[in-house]
Amino acid sequence: DAAVPAAIAAACRAAFAAAARVCVLTGAGMSAESGVPTFRGGGDSLWSRFDPRVLATADAWRRDPALVWAWYRWRMHLVGQARPHAGHFALAELGRCHGQALSLVTQNVDDLHERAGSEVQAHVHGSLFALRCFDCGQAYDRPLPDYEPGLERIAPPACVACGGGVRPGVVWFGEALPEAAWRIAVGCATGCALMLVVGTSGLVHPAAGLPALARRNGAMVVEINPEPTALSDTVDHAWRANAADALPRLLA
Ligand code: BJW
Ligand code: ZN
């Protein structure tokens, strides 16, 4: 049972009552209970089964685009099968009643927040579904052929403008974050009075620096995560709980 710790309940009540700015920063743990695997950790986490250097860098794409594309087609398929959970819906409800004062910043490349009804201010690591040409950057919005499970390689679609390979709109290691999304995320972190950090290991920079930025600017930072993380020692309160349990209780 995960009763809301009193100090966290009080901080949230105070922030909502004062219509103070609240920023929610989410990571892969937010989607775990929807059945989308996280990157790190035990079980069937992605980086315990797959090598990110072979799949999630621009060099990997140059070496073997069909291998990388097939892996991302599988990831898109997993997300397509997943449904938002009670935690996503609780955040969407908070967005409706807390209005402009709530900002949602996510590292997730899935669309589960949007499908629950949230407006996401910034996808700092991009989106699986925002396809674009690797060579010229042209957006690609034609429908994809049906996903065929089990293929190790699938040729990526060809760019309409230049014939180059079409890639997923995610941020790979070594790539810069999308400038506009990052600027918005920094603004949300700097301006909030309360930050909820949900389901992130806090290992990947620069996103992992957002809670510290919020705290330096006077915010109270609350972590919601079943495990200790790289951020746990630096937050005001660390609540060991799952997103689908904790968020509906906290925001009820
Ligand atoms: C639950 C739960 C439940 C489980 N409820 N919680 C050394 C030091 C510092 C930095 C670097 C360094 N060496 C290299 C770097 C840079 C690098 C980096 O940070 N690397 C570190 C890993 C060391 N960063 C970059 O390369 C970034 N770019 C950059 O720095 O650019 C510089 C530049 C500037 C100008 C020009 C050019 C370059 C880019 C980072 C891109 C990250 N990309 C990925 C993959 C996206 C594509 C894809 O999806 O395939 O983004 S990596 C992956 O990690 C993904 C995530 O968004 C990101 C963060 O992961 P997240 O969300 O925290 O998930 P997990 O899996 O790590 O953790 C899950 C958590 O959930 C756990 O804590 C669980 O306990 C918890 N949980 N169930 C709640 N039910
Ligand atoms: Zn192109």
Side-chain angles (χ1 to χ4, degrees):
D1 181 69
V4 186
I8 298 176
C12 284
R13 260 200 314 275
F16 297 141
R21 288 200 202 170
V22 176
C23 176
V24 181
L25 172 66
T26 63
M30 182 75 215
S31 302
E33 289 154 284
S34 291
V36 180
T38 60
F39 294 92
R40 299 167 189 81
D44 59 356
S45 71
L46 292 170
W47 299 156
S48 68
R49 301 171 59 197
F50 304 99
D51 183 345
R53 290 163 303 185
V54 174
L55 294 166
T57 66
D59 278 344
W61 179 271
R62 287 188 200 95
R63 221 177 294 130
D64 195 344
L67 179 75
V68 174
W69 180 251
W71 191 68
Y72 280 96
R73 285 295 281 138
W74 170 66
R75 301 264 314 279
M76 289 180 213
H77 173 73
L78 286 185
V79 169
Q81 304 272 292
R83 297 289 169 265
H85 59 60
H88 293 102
F89 289 112
L91 286 177
E93 177 59 25
L94 179 66
R96 284 187 288 273
C97 55
H98 204 55
Q100 298 287 64
L102 179 76
S103 58
L104 183 50
V105 173
T106 189
Q107 299 169 80
N108 296 344
V109 296
D110 62 51
D111 58 357
L112 293 172
H113 284 305
E114 285 89 347
R115 280 157 58 198
S118 280
E119 189 187 323
V120 175
Q121 269 63 43
H123 272 274
V124 294
H125 292 159
S127 159
L128 282 172
F129 305 102
L131 308 179
R132 68 169 193 271
C133 176
F134 181 85
D135 294 330
C136 79
Q138 171 79 40
Y140 184 88
D141 49 21
R142 301 196 173 180
L144 298 175
D146 284 341
Y147 173 65
E148 263 191 79
L151 296 180
E152 206 193 341
R153 288 189 171 70
I154 302 174
C159 171
V160 182
C162 80
V166 167
R167 61 166 282 179
V170 301
V171 181
W172 284 327
F173 285 111
E175 291 187 316
L177 275 51
E179 217 174 293
W182 180 246
R183 195 175 331 109
I184 291 168
V186 166
C188 294
T190 308
C192 69
L194 171 67
M195 177 181 270
L196 303 180
V197 182
V198 185
T200 178
S201 60
L203 291 170
V204 177
H205 290 271
L210 291 170
L213 178 62
R215 211 151 179 274
R216 275 202 302 281
N217 285 276
M220 171 173 287
V221 178
V222 173
E223 172 178 73
I224 297 175
N225 195 308
E227 305 286 340
T229 73
L231 303 170
S232 297
D233 287 343
T234 70
V235 301
D236 294 282
H237 301 285
W239 182 12
R240 301 273 158 257
N242 291 331
D245 292 332
L247 290 170
R249 287 170 198 259
L250 185 63
L251 307 175

